Amino acid sequence: MTTFLIDTGTPRRIKAPVMQTQINGMASPAEARIRVRHFDFFYADAKVLHGITMDIPDRQVTALIGPSGCGKSTFVRSMNRMNDIIPDAHGEGVIEIDGRNIYDGGTDVVELRRRVGMVFQKSNPFPKSIFENIAYGLKIGGVRNRRQLSETVEKSLRRAALWDEVKDRLNDSAMALSGGQQQRLCIARALAVDPEILLMDEPASALDPIATTKIEELIWELKENYTIVIVTHNMQQAARVSDRTAFFMLGRLVEYGETNTIFMNPREKMTEDYVTGRFG
């Protein structure tokens, strides 16, 4: 198979592999935080995901790549059941988080979405102050103590690498922030409720290169404490930020493995054609 190089921009730090070689996306039970088995998804009668099986490791970044309409966003939204709000949409199969199938009938979806945070493609700050944007989820959860709110707001903004830029204007409208700052604010808002897993659907697609670099650096730092799954169309971004990469095509998982392998020595010809820009 052809070997090729991709310019990944800022050099990635060299890290020792923490997972054993996987076959067909399967990891050992101790390593997988999210386990997906034979997962299908339907919009009414239209089947858009076909038998997805893969293991997603803890405290790593897993990138989902593939052309538009291949099922990446549907799959990532299935991990916290955001698709439930779409009429006649439903999933079949198993997505386990910490050994529990989130599609079991007794699943508390509100608690699931607290544990599995979501950052969307377009930043969506509330028309409130910076402080109130971060505190909103806490207040919904019953937190009223002002000191606790203030401490969590600061902690979340620091985690999102935004504190130094906004600490003197917490009462200003979040709508006055730049696009990149708004996206980091949305990340901080997701972190405020203390999730364990963070899903990101094209979080930097609408940002300029400088803001994109800040988001990528933030993702790298956050993986020390969170399991992160990111959807991206940007091949260089996937190569820079992710530990593992999954290539989707027409609702099917074509190939999944360590990012270096997917980009440098993929098993499937279709994967090679996509990551080298021959189609997509």
Side-chain angles (χ1 to χ4, degrees):
M1 180 167 290
T2 303
T3 300
F4 54 91
L5 299 175
I6 283 190
D7 177 9
T8 59
T10 304
R12 299 172 68 204
R13 283 168 279 184
I14 302 299
K15 50 191 181 296
V18 297
M19 297 188 68
Q20 298 175 350
T21 301
Q22 295 190 359
I23 299 175
N24 297 326
M26 311 278 278
S28 69
E31 295 169 330
R33 184 68 187 274
I34 305 171
R35 295 170 61 84
V36 185
R37 295 292 180 270
H38 311 297
F39 186 75
D40 302 326
F41 199 86
F42 300 80
Y43 293 119
D45 294 329
K47 188 175 183 179
V48 295
L49 291 178
H50 304 264
I52 307 300
T53 291
M54 63 187 296
D55 290 342
I56 297 174
D58 189 24
R59 299 193 184 191
Q60 291 193 22
V61 180
T62 298
L64 310 182
I65 64 172
S68 296
C70 69
K72 304 183 302 296
S73 292
T74 294
F75 179 57
V76 80
R77 291 169 186 244
S78 297
M79 294 183 201
N80 68 349
R81 293 184 53 173
M82 283 295 294
N83 290 322
D84 285 15
I85 64 176
I86 301 172
D88 298 322
H90 69 281
E92 297 179 0
V94 173
I95 297 181
E96 289 183 351
I97 296 178
D98 297 331
R100 300 187 63 179
N101 183 12
I102 66 172
Y103 281 85
D104 282 346
T107 299
D108 183 338
V109 178
V110 173
E111 173 62 15
L112 171 66
R113 292 173 186 160
R114 187 203 64 76
R115 294 180 60 206
V116 185
M118 185 92 191
V119 178
F120 297 95
Q121 178 177 2
K122 187 179 186 305
S123 58
N124 56 344
F126 302 141
K128 299 174 179 288
S129 71
I130 294 168
F131 184 95
E132 289 300 325
N133 263 267
I134 307 302
Y136 182 81
L138 298 167
K139 290 182 176 181
I140 292 295
V143 178
R144 293 290 182 269
N145 183 280
R146 183 71 181 183
R147 180 176 178 180
Q148 183 180 352
L149 290 171
S150 296
E151 289 176 350
T152 303
V153 167
E154 178 177 348
K155 180 180 178 181
S156 301
L157 288 169
R158 286 188 182 278
R159 283 179 172 176
L162 190 57
W163 173 252
D164 289 339
E165 297 172 40
V166 303
K167 62 184 178 182
D168 297 323
R169 48 187 179 128
L170 295 178
N171 293 322
D172 292 355
S173 172
M175 310 306 290
L177 297 174
S178 69
Q181 288 174 324
Q182 287 187 9
Q183 191 64 300
R184 281 183 285 150
L185 178 75
C186 293
I187 293 173
R189 189 174 64 196
L191 298 178
V193 295
D194 201 24
E196 301 160 23
I197 296 166
L198 196 58
L199 310 176
M200 297 183 169
D201 192 356
E202 294 278 3
S205 64
L207 303 180
D208 61 59
I210 294 175
T212 295
T213 297
K214 289 184 177 180
I215 294 294
E216 291 179 0
E217 290 173 348
L218 174 59
I219 291 170
W220 186 275
E221 293 169 3
L222 288 174
K223 77 169 186 175
E224 293 183 6
N225 298 299
Y226 302 93
T227 301
I228 299 175
V229 182
I230 178 173
V231 171
T232 180
H233 282 99
N234 186 319
M235 297 298 98
Q236 285 74 26
Q237 182 174 83
R240 284 192 295 264
V241 306
S242 70
D243 301 280
R244 301 185 65 77
T245 296
F247 170 50
F248 282 72
M249 186 69 180
L250 298 176
R252 301 181 188 277
L253 177 60
V254 176
E255 187 167 352
Y256 176 49
E258 293 182 1
T259 293
N260 287 341
T261 299
I262 294 296
F263 282 95
M264 301 293 290
N265 191 28
R267 295 191 311 269
E268 303 295 332
K269 181 66 163 57
M270 185 181 295
T271 308
E272 180 179 355
D273 288 346
Y274 183 75
V275 299
T276 55
R278 292 175 193 164
F279 78 92

